[in-house]
Amino acid sequence: EAGIAVSTALKSKRDTSVLRRFATLAIDSPPARREHATCHNFRFMAHIFPFTALRPVPRAAAAVAAVPYDVVSAEDARRLAEGNPLSFLHVSRAEIDLPPGTDPYSDQVYERANENFRDLRARAPLIVEDAPSVYVYRLEMGGHVQGGVAACFSLDEYDADVIKKHEKTRPDKEDDRTRHMLAIGAQTGPVFLTYAASAPIDALSARAMTAAPLFDFVAPDEVKHTIWRISDQEAQAFVRAFDEVGALYIADGHHRAASAARTRRALSGRGMGEHDRMLAVAFPDTQVQILPYNRVIRDLNGLTPEEFLERLRSHATIQAGGPASSSRKGQVGVYLDGAWHTIQFSSPGDAEGAATLDVTLLQDLVLGPILGVGDVRTDKRIDFVGGLKGTRELQRLVDSGEFAVAFSMHPVTIHDLMRIADEGGIMPPKSTWFEPKLRDGLLSHLI
């Protein structure tokens, strides 16, 4: 049956690497799943799996919960965890408990992470659920509310691009989280997924949120985190509802997902097991919020402010004294020499996919040719400021003299992200800033 499915799909010129993976799924999966894998239109589907979570007891949840490991520096992590021995930052950023200047990728950091994880399990305590479950995780920030489903997701489907990506990952960051997962034997920070909103899933989530929550607290950044554990019967209803979701998209957490896949390969000698799945929370696309991901540059590449503006005019229209925040696609705010300007790009008529994004146009027309910023992943002259900090932070950085110019971006839409991922495209680095963010340590997946 799997061979027939592969043959049929090959006639449709589908990607052969995906087909090989999906043939394995068709052979190894339960009958209901094989039926979907072998249908003539070769339908790909998303699946979720209840998991036996490791979690804090409710009274310790607020103290344990920590911001994602990759949104803070070591200095910030040390400050946030100071005076709180239960903070999960002691596990996710274990270098904070070693002398300043310790190489964050040294063996002793991963050894310390394992020690701290064992200590936290006893001290908090963290407990293992008595049965596999699915969870609903709601985030509230100001007037924004989003509710997602926390579960495990198939790494087969990640490899087969049923779980779609839109960013390249860096090997050094993959190395780090892979070593971290192997050291502590767990995935401790969920990947943030999104999907085309589903009325049945929305209804199930709404019903779940009428019950008493497992966790309910407001974090120091004033984001409210509420989690409900779903009964086994309702969990199976979620599983069936996700069977009708055609694709999942990584919104935030590409390195976590890639590291989970690498960890799986490292543990493949064990046979099938929990390491074949990754921990994630999936939110409907109608609820996720993307904020601007702004840019600041340390110097003008030898130009005066007047020369820089003159060079800009050859690529965009400029309005002096414009608003700090961009109001529409194609428009970028520029803070320079104590004043805001607005520039308006025109996307090339033949541009497609990621080439139409403002971050791409800014890089291709301004940052590269005028300011000499090449690879934004490695160039030390550029930095990035998440939109939650606002345009005042951009002004502060430039007025301080640390940076010469700031660019206030219009946020990428979730539909841009999904469209580019569907096309197999890659978005430029630092294109999206999702808020609010999930917390590490509330639900961990033992592998």
Side-chain angles (χ1 to χ4, degrees):
E1 290 179 351
I4 292 170
V6 171
S7 176
T8 301
L10 279 172
K11 293 176 182 177
S12 303
K13 298 182 180 179
R14 291 183 182 269
D15 179 73
T16 56
S17 64
V18 172
L19 295 172
R20 285 194 296 270
R21 172 63 67 185
F22 215 69
T24 301
L25 284 176
I27 292 167
D28 292 343
S29 299
R33 192 163 171 193
R34 286 201 301 270
E35 179 181 350
H36 289 297
T38 57
C39 66
H40 281 293
N41 63 6
F42 207 69
R43 182 182 178 193
F44 290 83
M45 296 169 52
H47 291 79
I48 68 169
F49 301 87
F51 72 108
T52 305
L54 175 73
R55 62 164 178 85
V57 295
R59 67 176 182 275
V64 170
V67 296
Y69 77 95
D70 54 352
V71 302
V72 289
S73 66
E75 293 74 20
D76 288 339
R78 188 174 286 109
R79 176 180 54 80
L80 289 171
E82 186 177 5
N84 179 11
L86 299 186
S87 171
F88 207 81
L89 286 168
H90 294 289
V91 177
S92 60
R93 297 296 296 267
E95 66 268 29
I96 67 176
D97 293 323
L98 296 169
T102 298
D103 179 358
Y105 304 135
S106 64
D107 290 346
Q108 64 186 117
V109 171
Y110 303 102
E111 292 166 2
R112 186 58 178 265
N114 185 34
E115 293 172 8
N116 288 353
F117 191 43
R118 292 200 309 268
D119 180 65
L120 182 62
R121 292 183 67 168
R123 182 182 295 195
L126 306 181
I127 61 173
V128 178
E129 296 280 25
D130 56 6
S133 300
V134 167
Y135 301 80
V136 170
Y137 190 153
R138 185 175 69 193
L139 295 164
E140 299 178 58
M141 184 181 74
H144 175 79
V145 181
Q146 62 187 69
V149 179
C152 277
F153 295 77
S154 169
L155 286 169
D156 277 322
E157 293 175 356
Y158 171 84
D159 288 341
D161 279 334
V162 177
I163 299 175
K164 300 187 179 187
K165 305 89 174 166
H166 67 267
E167 286 184 5
K168 291 182 178 178
T169 53
R170 287 173 41 183
D172 59 330
K173 295 183 72 173
E174 285 187 30
D175 290 345
D176 170 47
R177 282 306 101 173
T178 300
R179 292 182 66 189
H180 191 269
M181 290 178 192
L182 290 170
I184 69 173
Q187 300 160 357
T188 58
V191 176
F192 183 152
L193 300 175
T194 190
Y195 59 93
S198 156
I201 297 174
D202 286 349
L204 288 168
S205 296
R207 186 161 68 227
M209 289 186 285
T210 62
L214 175 64
F215 303 140
D216 188 16
F217 65 91
V218 177
D221 59 2
E222 300 184 354
V223 174
K224 186 176 183 181
H225 299 257
T226 312
I227 296 180
W228 291 263
R229 185 185 179 191
I230 307 306
S231 68
D232 181 65
Q233 182 177 356
E234 286 290 283
Q236 293 309 310
F238 275 103
V239 170
R240 291 190 296 272
F242 267 93
D243 278 349
E244 300 305 315
V245 172
L248 295 160
Y249 302 81
I250 298 178
D252 208 359
H254 281 79
H255 287 95
R256 294 174 190 245
S259 300
R262 283 184 53 180
T263 299
R264 175 204 197 188
R265 291 193 290 272
L267 299 177
S268 61
R270 295 182 178 179
M272 296 180 66
E274 287 300 319
H275 54 276
D276 291 308
R277 299 167 186 168
M278 71 177 181
L279 175 65
V281 183
F283 294 91
D285 62 339
T286 52
Q287 296 183 25
V288 299
Q289 177 175 248
I290 304 178
L291 299 182
Y293 215 158
N294 301 315
R295 277 91 165 114
V296 286
I297 313 296
R298 296 187 185 279
D299 61 71
L300 295 179
N301 199 28
L303 301 173
T304 66
E306 294 76 16
E307 290 170 337
F308 172 67
L309 291 173
E310 186 60 34
R311 291 280 301 274
L312 268 182
R313 289 188 180 94
S314 63
H315 298 290
T317 58
I318 302 178
Q319 176 186 347
S325 297
S326 171
S327 62
R328 63 180 183 271
K329 187 175 181 178
Q331 190 180 83
V332 177
V334 180
Y335 187 69
L336 174 74
D337 204 23
W340 281 101
H341 305 264
T342 301
I343 61 175
Q344 182 72 44
F345 292 121
S346 295
S347 180
D350 59 349
E352 296 179 350
T356 66
L357 299 177
D358 291 350
V359 288
T360 303
L361 295 172
L362 181 70
Q363 178 62 38
D364 291 348
L365 299 177
V366 179
L367 301 187
I370 299 177
L371 295 178
V373 176
D375 186 348
V376 298
R377 293 181 179 87
T378 58
D379 197 315
K380 302 300 184 184
R381 295 171 55 235
I382 188 171
D383 209 346
F384 304 88
V385 180
L388 194 62
K389 293 184 177 180
T391 55
R392 287 186 180 181
E393 176 66 5
L394 300 181
Q395 290 182 208
R396 186 192 70 79
L397 290 170
V398 174
D399 290 344
S400 71
E402 185 178 356
F403 293 88
V405 62
F407 297 92
S408 171
M409 311 299 298
H410 189 68
V412 172
T413 70
I414 190 63
H415 300 295
D416 280 334
L417 182 154
M418 295 169 79
R419 173 177 53 84
I420 291 168
D422 283 338
E423 295 167 355
I426 297 296
M427 295 172 67
K430 312 294 186 181
S431 294
T432 55
W433 183 272
F434 287 88
E435 283 287 354
K437 296 190 179 298
L438 300 164
R439 291 271 162 154
D440 286 1
L442 293 175
L443 298 170
S444 295
H445 175 221
L446 297 174
I447 58 174

